[in-house]
Amino acid sequence: MRRWWIVPCAMLGALSLSAASPPPVPTFHADTQWLKLPPAMRLGEITAVAVDSHDQLWVLHRPRSLAREDQPYAAPPVLLFDRAGKYLRGFGGPSSAWEWPAIEHSIAVDKSGRVWIAGNSRTDPAAGDDMLLEFANDGTLIRQIGKRGASKGDLDTANLHAPADIVVDDAAQETYIADGYVNRRVIVFDSETGGFKRMWSAFGKPPPAEAAPALRAVGAPFTPESGAGPQGFSGVHGVELSRDGLVYVSDRNNQRIQVFTRAGRFVKQGFVDRNMASPQTASGIAFSADAKQRYLYVADWGNSAVLVLDRATLATIGTIGGKGTAPGQFIGPHLIATDSKGVLYVAEVQGRRMQRLVPAGRRNGKTTRYG
């Protein structure tokens, strides 16, 4: 099912970070019925998506989230599709050769085709998903960083603690992890050895010694936030590396994107749907496919939308969607990715679908939505 969807421009006030005219807003059409699974396969909660160097799509889902009667038909946790949505193969799941995540969460694919997997189980610290798995693209284990239930907190350089997102810097041979469901940091490992390199929290500072503050309830009364925001990450959920060597981090519970150099030096920040009904906003992040990566796409998990930001200013210039099941709407937009043609893929957890938004030209104009 397809629907044409024009991303509306934001109000002029949202563009106050830049004196220049805002860039034209991208236009997409939405497609929700394009993945082609074998008839006997079922998908559970779809948590993450990555695009490889061949524009093939790697999808991570949670087989154990399926209803009991559907679990015998569960697709493998890791699935590979071609650009047309045809299923090619899959792998993954519990094994004596590795510690598979109790709750599948994130996936990345590097330039050489290696597939990186992490989970976010944390209810029982002794059994937490405190590891990162690296596979060849045929499902052969290359290495495991960290061990289940082994985290010693934010200063632990050998283990993670329910990490949220992964990106690989192929040129520098480094892997960045948004280690944020319990810990409050970005941590970097050598992608060839698994050795620790460095880590930081908000504003490039060391991770705070104290736990993140409790999250306010959705829709509960609250005092609107202002200023620069907290000095530590809270729910750091997404990490991406731009072509010009900047590291973009989504600090979900603090409703912001922070930008750093590869070394962890703070550059700038911008807020994402700050002071909205849900305090959990910036989730997955992805760049547009143009050479300068002019746009930054950000999934607002709690408010069921995908925002379009001007990457130069981090100003919001457009919004896609709202809560719903129609094409171009979302339920639980989580981690996202773009391919070389500019197609935007959105993994919806509660929606249990992989929605693709196909570029349909660009348009300037007033706040307008077409459906």
Side-chain angles (χ1 to χ4, degrees):
M1 186 174 185
R2 297 185 178 183
R3 177 174 295 180
W4 289 92
W5 200 268
I6 306 299
V7 181
C9 289
M11 293 186 297
L12 186 60
L15 302 173
S16 59
L17 292 176
S18 174
S21 299
V25 182
T27 304
F28 300 91
H29 67 81
D31 192 350
T32 61
Q33 304 294 327
W34 65 284
L35 288 184
K36 304 173 183 69
L37 276 174
M41 281 190 181
R42 304 285 185 272
L43 289 176
E45 295 172 348
I46 299 179
T47 65
V49 56
V51 178
D52 66 20
S53 59
H54 305 289
D55 271 354
Q56 296 179 128
L57 204 68
W58 292 84
V59 174
L60 184 69
H61 85 115
R62 295 171 175 162
R64 287 163 287 194
S65 69
L66 285 164
R68 181 176 298 178
E69 60 270 22
D70 287 331
Q71 288 187 4
Y73 309 101
V78 179
L79 303 98
L80 175 63
F81 297 88
D82 67 16
R83 289 194 77 246
K86 179 184 177 182
Y87 174 73
L88 301 177
R89 63 181 185 273
F91 68 84
S95 169
S96 60
W98 56 73
E99 293 178 307
W100 188 258
I103 302 178
E104 295 87 354
H105 190 274
S106 52
I107 187 170
V109 183
D110 63 25
K111 190 174 181 180
S112 65
R114 295 175 298 183
V115 181
W116 304 71
I117 303 290
N120 71 327
S121 177
R122 60 201 181 278
T123 303
D124 178 3
D129 287 338
D130 299 345
M131 59 285 185
L132 175 68
L133 299 175
E134 178 190 351
F135 293 93
N137 61 20
D138 64 357
T140 302
L141 180 70
I142 297 174
R143 70 173 50 86
Q144 177 174 320
I145 300 173
K147 297 289 185 181
R148 187 185 307 281
S151 174
K152 299 176 181 64
D154 268 304
L155 299 183
D156 186 345
T157 60
N159 299 283
L160 305 164
H161 198 8
D165 198 16
I166 312 159
V167 67
V168 180
D169 182 349
D170 295 293
Q173 296 185 328
E174 294 180 334
T175 302
Y176 292 75
I177 313 295
D179 190 18
Y181 269 96
V182 182
N183 288 336
R184 306 179 67 182
R185 64 186 183 176
V186 169
I187 186 168
V188 185
F189 295 100
D190 186 305
S191 63
E192 307 310 303
T193 68
F196 168 76
K197 301 292 288 287
R198 59 192 174 276
M199 63 181 172
W200 67 86
S201 190
F203 299 100
K205 297 181 177 181
E210 65 276 3
L215 194 64
R216 67 173 168 87
V218 176
F222 68 98
T223 301
E225 298 176 358
S226 60
Q231 294 298 296
F233 288 141
S234 179
V236 54
H237 194 275
V239 59
E240 289 293 336
L241 180 70
S242 63
R243 292 192 185 111
D244 52 7
L246 295 174
V247 180
Y248 287 71
V249 177
S250 57
D251 189 9
R252 185 164 73 173
N253 298 351
N254 287 328
Q255 304 151 42
R256 64 190 178 189
I257 300 290
Q258 290 200 331
V259 185
F260 304 88
T261 65
R262 284 181 167 101
R265 181 179 62 82
F266 175 74
V267 177
K268 60 183 176 180
Q269 70 172 357
F271 288 94
V272 176
D273 278 351
R274 198 179 197 187
N275 298 317
M276 296 281 282
S278 173
Q280 291 187 295
T281 64
S283 187
I285 49 182
F287 302 108
S288 57
D290 56 287
K292 293 185 177 181
Q293 296 180 316
R294 196 172 190 182
Y295 304 102
L296 180 69
Y297 304 117
V298 182
D300 179 343
W301 161 265
N303 299 292
S304 299
V306 174
L307 306 186
V308 184
L309 276 59
D310 177 353
R311 188 169 77 90
T313 65
L314 297 183
T316 300
I317 60 172
T319 303
I320 307 170
K323 191 171 185 177
T325 59
Q329 296 180 323
F330 307 101
I331 302 179
H334 194 232
L335 295 174
I336 62 179
T338 49
D339 69 12
S340 68
K341 307 298 183 184
V343 178
L344 175 60
Y345 300 94
V346 182
E348 294 180 69
V349 177
Q350 292 96 328
R352 299 194 177 206
R353 64 184 182 181
M354 177 60 60
Q355 192 162 178
R356 69 176 177 182
L357 305 176
V358 181
R362 295 187 172 92
R363 178 189 182 99
N364 283 310
K366 300 179 180 179
T367 303
T368 309
R369 184 172 292 174
Y370 299 80

